[in-house]
Amino acid sequence: MTGRSSRLSRLRRAVPDGRADRPVEPRGARPRRRGAQPKVVALGGGMGLSASLAALRRITGDLTAVVTVADDGGSSGRLRDELGVLPPGDLRKALAALCGDDDWGQTWARVIQHRFQSQGDLHDHAVGNVLIVALWEQLGDHVQALDLVGKLLGAHGRVLPMSAVPLELQALVRGHDPERPDEVDTVRGQATVALTPGEVQSVHLVPHDPPAVPEAVDAVLDADWVVLGPGSWFSSVIPHLLVPELLDALTQTKARRVLSLNLVPQPGETEGFSPQRHLEVLGRHAPKLALDVVLADEAAVPDRDVLTEAAKRLGAAVELAPVARRDGTPRHDPELLAAAYDRIFRMHGRIGPWR
């Protein structure tokens, strides 16, 4: 590894210092004293995690994303199959979400999200996926490579995979075959699970006890706040609870834990789910995990009392806030979500400076 270590040193010297600006306080927030920022770890994958990160980077400069690595579709799936690497797509999306709002950050966010359009093998590959995999091969270290990409982008935080081995997501689904609505089948692959017809009963990972990335475990144990969700419930949120070392860290950490609910059920895996149903299935997969706060959009909760009772069973209080975009699309507004997180951190966290 001596050659790889020397290459890493040269690359680190070549990359300019991070250009991340100071975190931007959400509208209406009180200025936080210098050095009084919470250490926050956000877990998830895909666009849900990206929404959380885009909000959290506005209120803290000490932010770590822990990302699921079970994706097997699209560009990530092709690279995974061909090269035997971790799927880079959700890691790339997290890095893009952590890019700043200045010209440097937004330019790099567009570059790594750019997809090639061609009639050949490069068609639909994302630039960031190829860059991440190239650095993995050059350096032989997942974490160091992602740290280097983050430095290049001037990312407002760190991105880590939840495990260093590619994982397969499997689900038990009732009614996957419409002609056998009462039978339970095993559905394999994150891309398939996310769009499965029928009712997902439970999910598990293969291998069943994958090792967690040590830096991810350390980040959770050292955090002030851990944020889980929003995102695809069975394919992006719950998988973190199926990595034994990561689940142990989540149950043992002194950090407070907030669960951020989706704005609408996801077609396929959570079709017809109520807000409280999301809590129930999460509790079944990790019965020892306690929460402190459940955050939901006020317009997405038809019955607050029912949700409050479901949250109490997990040890949590409910916080309702307007966090959806005002254009009617089922997407989180980063400034509104930042304001909601900031209020939760203040109301349910420590009094005075964090450190």
Side-chain angles (χ1 to χ4, degrees), residues 235-280:
S235 51
S236 292
V237 176
I238 289 178
H240 291 274
L241 310 179
L242 306 178
V243 179
E245 294 169 314
L246 196 53
L247 178 58
D248 286 345
L250 286 167
T251 56
Q252 295 171 13
T253 182
K254 290 181 169 45
R256 300 197 177 190
R257 291 158 288 234
V258 57
L259 179 70
S260 187
L261 293 178
N262 295 333
L263 298 173
V264 295
Q266 181 178 346
E269 64 178 81
T270 56
E271 186 75 46
F273 272 34
S274 63
Q276 56 270 19
R277 180 75 181 281
H278 286 77
L279 301 188
E280 291 165 1

Side-chain angles (χ1 to χ4, degrees), residues 181-261:
D182 295 325
E183 292 190 19
V184 176
D185 296 306
T186 299
V187 176
R188 295 174 172 83
Q190 181 176 335
T192 305
V193 171
L195 298 174
T196 182
E199 181 182 348
V200 178
Q201 304 289 296
S202 64
V203 290
H204 60 273
L205 295 173
V206 177
H208 289 278
D209 55 350
V213 167
E215 292 86 349
V217 172
D218 291 343
V220 170
L221 291 174
D222 193 42
D224 294 307
W225 276 93
V226 174
V227 177
L228 187 62
S232 300
W233 216 244
F234 288 105
S235 51
S236 292
V237 176
I238 289 178
H240 291 274
L241 310 179
L242 306 178
V243 179
E245 294 169 314
L246 196 53
L247 178 58
D248 286 345
L250 286 167
T251 56
Q252 295 171 13
T253 182
K254 290 181 169 45
R256 300 197 177 190
R257 291 158 288 234
V258 57
L259 179 70
S260 187
L261 293 178

Side-chain angles (χ1 to χ4, degrees), residues 38-58:
K39 288 186 176 183
V40 181
V41 176
L43 298 92
M47 298 309 296
L49 177 61
S50 295
S52 223
L53 295 175
L56 289 166
R57 69 173 170 81
R58 287 167 158 79

Side-chain angles (χ1 to χ4, degrees), residues 24-30 32 55 58-59 334-340 342-343 346:
V24 178
E25 291 285 351
R27 291 189 298 257
R30 299 190 305 274
R32 185 178 280 113
R58 287 167 158 79
I59 59 174
E335 290 193 0
L336 293 175
L337 187 57
D342 188 71
R343 184 171 59 255
R346 293 176 187 276

Side-chain angles (χ1 to χ4, degrees), residues 8-259:
L8 176 61
S9 298
R10 291 197 300 273
L11 282 167
R12 280 176 169 165
R13 290 195 296 270
V15 176
D17 290 337
R19 299 185 177 212
D21 300 325
R22 293 173 61 188
V24 178
E25 291 285 351
R27 291 189 298 257
R30 299 190 305 274
R32 185 178 280 113
R33 294 205 301 272
R34 186 175 182 180
Q37 297 181 16
K39 288 186 176 183
V40 181
V41 176
L43 298 92
M47 298 309 296
L49 177 61
S50 295
S52 223
L53 295 175
L56 289 166
R57 69 173 170 81
R58 287 167 158 79
I59 59 174
T60 183
D62 199 334
L63 177 59
T64 301
V66 179
V67 184
T68 183
V69 285
D71 190 10
D72 62 349
S75 171
S76 287
R78 290 159 60 195
L79 289 167
R80 173 178 175 164
D81 290 342
E82 183 173 345
L83 301 174
V85 295
L86 295 180
D90 284 350
L91 297 160
R92 179 200 83 244
K93 292 173 186 174
L95 285 162
L98 290 173
C99 285
D101 294 324
D102 58 354
D103 289 341
W104 179 272
Q106 289 306 294
T107 297
W108 274 110
R110 290 193 298 271
V111 168
I112 66 170
Q113 295 282 53
H114 175 77
R115 291 183 181 271
F116 297 107
Q117 300 296 313
S118 74
Q119 300 300 314
D121 292 340
L122 271 177
H123 177 69
D124 207 37
H125 271 306
V127 171
N129 288 357
V130 177
L131 173 62
I132 291 168
V133 172
L135 282 168
W136 283 342
E137 292 192 344
Q138 285 286 308
L139 304 178
D141 189 296
H142 295 103
V143 172
Q144 290 179 331
L146 289 166
D147 284 345
L148 189 62
V149 177
K151 187 175 182 181
L152 174 66
L153 273 53
H156 291 240
R158 193 182 195 193
V159 173
L160 300 170
M162 71 178 186
S163 179
V165 298
L167 304 173
E168 180 183 77
L169 185 71
Q170 296 186 0
L172 297 178
V173 182
R174 183 183 300 278
H176 176 68
D177 183 346
E179 295 184 358
R180 298 181 289 117
D182 295 325
E183 292 190 19
V184 176
D185 296 306
T186 299
V187 176
R188 295 174 172 83
Q190 181 176 335
T192 305
V193 171
L195 298 174
T196 182
E199 181 182 348
V200 178
Q201 304 289 296
S202 64
V203 290
H204 60 273
L205 295 173
V206 177
H208 289 278
D209 55 350
V213 167
E215 292 86 349
V217 172
D218 291 343
V220 170
L221 291 174
D222 193 42
D224 294 307
W225 276 93
V226 174
V227 177
L228 187 62
S232 300
W233 216 244
F234 288 105
S235 51
S236 292
V237 176
I238 289 178
H240 291 274
L241 310 179
L242 306 178
V243 179
E245 294 169 314
L246 196 53
L247 178 58
D248 286 345
L250 286 167
T251 56
Q252 295 171 13
T253 182
K254 290 181 169 45
R256 300 197 177 190
R257 291 158 288 234
V258 57
L259 179 70

